Amino acid sequence: MKKASLLLAILLSFLIVGCTKQELRTPSEQGTRPNDGTIPFASVSELRALQASENIVNYEIARKAAVLDMASFFNEFSELGATAPYSLSSEPVVIYEKTGEPKFYEFIVFDSKGVGFATITTFARKEVNTFSACVLPYIREYSLENSQMYSSVYPEIPTKLQLRSVPNSNLLGDTPEILTKNEVSDFWRRIENESDVFDIPDEALLQRSQTSLRSLKNYTIPKFDKDNLKRTRFAGWCGPSAMAWVYRGFFTHYKGDKIPLHGDAFSSYDHAKYSMYRNSDNRNTSYISDECPLIKDIEVKSRTLEGIIKGATLPDDFDKTVKEFFPGFYIDRHKGAIKGAPRRAIQRGNPVYMVVVTGDVQLHYIIGFGTKDKYGWFGIHSDSWILVTDNGTQISKHNYMPYYRSSNFFNYSNKYTHMGEFVQP
């Protein structure tokens, strides 16, 4: 048999996973599409037509990477209640920019009954030197208008919960790290002339990956590794809500009053001050009202530009508010080279806030508090994901728990603007 190609070696180097005792299979024709046809998978002819552009990633290569991601998230999929064996759609849903150029490929993960329950998103354009963008524990609502447009409702963001960008970029301060063209072009140049990976069945690819896997480690900051905290959201704008969630991870009370968590009985806290409710269609996640004292006080302190940007919390104001509200804590703002910084901060036991671009003109605060890391030969770190949560804009609106987002996505050109580490001296 011909030795593994350069492309396969790169795939394994970046996306190696173990599949020992994991039930995975090559999807059958019957198992790759839902019977009701609600997921708008692209046809093979459509996908091949897109690849006429040199800037578009071959979807078959992207799918092989997604197969390895599927195995890497076996435990997380099991925790969702999905029964193995799992399979991956043979074609993706294509997400487009408003310019009409592909942005992402969304591959759907199916359970043993052929029911789709998760999404593995890969980059559709050669703008980053990796494959994976994020892994979502749900399937987006494709019946909505413009659901396949990244610039419109991807992800779907309720107006009240979004943080809009500032027209004057100087107000934002830091300069985001942008991958150089050489970094990206060198990566894809190594892949372009390779094609034999297409002929490798899913099972064979997974078996080969086992020979290179040395370690796959998960870490969640202990204070935040609590089911009831993960199921709790603070309603309101994303900046104050993100800060309040981290506050509750470190402190149980604010001004002498207990801050409730999902599952608490109403008698265990002052209901008049901390109103907690659940959406009628989701009994597994609780929201704390933005009228609570913690959120209201945070908003007053962190809204120095309220008259200019409605609802916005700028990073400098976020940092100052943390120093005032969190006894013994301060924010270490990472500037300049931020690649890998969230993962290293979390592994030090410090949660991080990240301001990410969720559309052409929208910025959003998310909180990172866990990591999933891959290590190959000689203990060399090869890839990682960050466990993130927020105020519900990208998570609870779909009634799901926090999810893992590829750390590479945070270094994506212009899609990561700020990162702050919650530090306790």
Side-chain angles (χ1 to χ4, degrees):
M1 179 180 293
K2 184 179 178 180
K3 292 183 178 179
S5 66
L6 174 61
L7 172 57
L8 176 58
I10 292 175
L11 276 173
L12 295 182
S13 173
F14 279 84
L15 299 158
I16 291 165
V17 297
C19 57
T20 304
K21 296 183 179 179
Q22 297 182 3
E23 298 178 87
L24 297 156
R25 64 181 174 86
T26 303
S28 64
E29 289 297 321
Q30 292 75 28
T32 58
R33 297 172 183 267
N35 294 330
D36 57 9
T38 57
I39 301 178
F41 291 109
S43 67
V44 172
S45 59
E46 291 171 336
L47 292 164
R48 289 178 177 171
L50 293 176
Q51 288 161 202
S53 170
E54 294 182 355
N55 191 41
I56 302 302
V57 177
N58 188 310
Y59 83 94
E60 293 176 282
I61 295 178
R63 185 184 176 280
K64 292 301 182 184
V67 167
L68 295 176
D69 286 344
M70 180 176 68
S72 184
F73 282 82
F74 183 88
N75 291 336
E76 285 76 16
F77 292 161
S78 297
E79 291 173 359
L80 293 174
T83 56
Y86 307 135
S87 61
L88 192 69
S89 61
S90 52
E91 289 84 39
V93 176
V94 181
I95 306 301
Y96 293 89
E97 284 273 30
K98 63 181 180 181
T99 59
E101 190 173 18
K103 187 75 169 181
F104 299 119
Y105 293 137
E106 293 192 334
F107 293 93
I108 306 303
V109 183
F110 295 89
D111 65 12
S112 61
K113 297 179 180 179
V115 176
F117 68 91
T119 307
I120 297 176
T121 305
T122 68
F123 295 104
R125 293 210 300 263
K126 299 173 183 176
E127 294 182 326
V128 290
N129 55 350
T130 190
F131 297 94
S132 301
C134 53
V135 178
L136 306 176
Y138 57 84
I139 297 176
R140 295 195 307 109
E141 179 52 73
Y142 291 113
S143 65
L144 297 178
E145 184 179 4
N146 296 324
S147 63
Q148 287 180 254
M149 295 295 292
Y150 176 73
S151 303
S152 298
V153 291
Y154 183 95
E156 301 141 41
I157 300 179
T159 302
K160 183 181 179 182
L161 301 182
Q162 69 189 20
L163 171 62
R164 297 186 180 278
S165 63
V166 186
N168 181 359
S169 60
N170 290 331
L171 290 173
L172 291 175
D174 307 339
T175 300
E177 178 181 8
I178 299 177
L179 292 169
T180 67
K181 291 183 178 179
N182 286 339
E183 287 180 283
V184 177
S185 60
D186 287 349
F187 175 82
W188 290 106
R189 190 179 301 115
R190 297 168 64 189
I191 291 177
E192 285 178 345
N193 295 325
E194 300 291 336
S195 61
D196 56 342
V197 71
F198 301 148
D199 300 324
I200 302 175
D202 290 356
E203 291 95 335
L205 182 61
L206 292 169
Q207 289 172 0
R208 291 193 190 188
S209 73
Q210 293 183 64
T211 64
S212 299
L213 177 71
R214 297 293 92 188
S215 178
L216 182 62
K217 298 179 180 179
N218 286 62
Y219 173 74
T220 304
I221 299 173
K223 284 184 175 291
F224 297 86
D225 195 14
K226 301 173 182 177
D227 185 72
N228 54 357
L229 179 61
K230 294 176 183 177
R231 294 181 184 275
T232 301
R233 304 284 178 270
F234 285 84
W237 293 86
C238 60
S241 297
M243 193 186 307
W245 190 83
V246 176
Y247 183 95
R248 184 58 180 85
F250 286 121
F251 308 104
T252 59
H253 290 69
Y254 178 67
K255 290 185 175 180
D257 297 311
K258 180 183 176 182
I259 306 170
L261 292 176
H262 172 80
D264 284 348
F266 285 159
S267 60
S268 66
Y269 62 92
D270 189 335
H271 187 259
K273 293 182 178 180
Y274 287 91
S275 176
M276 189 166 62
Y277 62 93
R278 300 173 186 172
N279 289 342
S280 60
D281 59 347
N282 177 28
R283 309 300 295 174
N284 296 318
T285 302
S286 297
Y287 287 82
I288 296 176
S289 170
D290 56 358
E291 293 299 315
C292 74
L294 178 59
I295 288 287
K296 291 175 72 68
D297 288 352
I298 287 176
E299 287 183 341
V300 170
K301 292 293 183 180
S302 62
R303 293 282 177 77
T304 61
L305 294 180
E306 172 68 26
I308 302 175
I309 313 162
K310 181 176 176 55
T313 299
L314 296 182
D316 284 348
D317 298 326
F318 189 106
D319 298 355
K320 294 174 184 176
T321 304
V322 167
K323 189 173 183 179
E324 181 172 343
F325 274 72
F326 288 58
F329 282 82
Y330 69 93
I331 292 292
D332 180 11
R333 179 87 69 77
H334 289 251
K335 301 180 180 181
I338 55 179
K339 187 174 183 179
R343 176 177 63 86
R344 291 190 292 271
I346 292 168
Q347 290 178 344
R348 287 192 290 268
N350 301 328
V352 296
Y353 78 79
M354 292 163 284
V355 180
V356 296
V357 179
T358 60
D360 284 350
V361 293
Q362 296 171 354
L363 298 177
H364 183 59
Y365 282 85
I366 60 177
I367 297 297
F369 61 102
T371 65
K372 175 189 283 288
D373 294 285
K374 296 176 183 177
Y375 296 87
W377 291 100
F378 309 110
I380 297 175
H381 178 262
S382 62
D383 203 5
S384 63
W385 288 268
I386 306 297
L387 181 61
V388 300
T389 191
D390 67 2
N391 61 350
T393 296
Q394 294 179 298
I395 297 173
S396 291
K397 184 176 188 298
H398 304 275
N399 302 324
Y400 289 94
M401 296 283 283
Y403 71 97
Y404 283 91
R405 193 170 181 177
S406 171
S407 60
N408 294 295
F409 190 82
F410 296 127
N411 296 299
Y412 181 41
S413 177
N414 289 322
K415 300 307 177 188
Y416 179 121
T417 65
H418 294 75
M419 175 214 155
E421 176 181 356
F422 290 77
V423 177
Q424 187 175 29

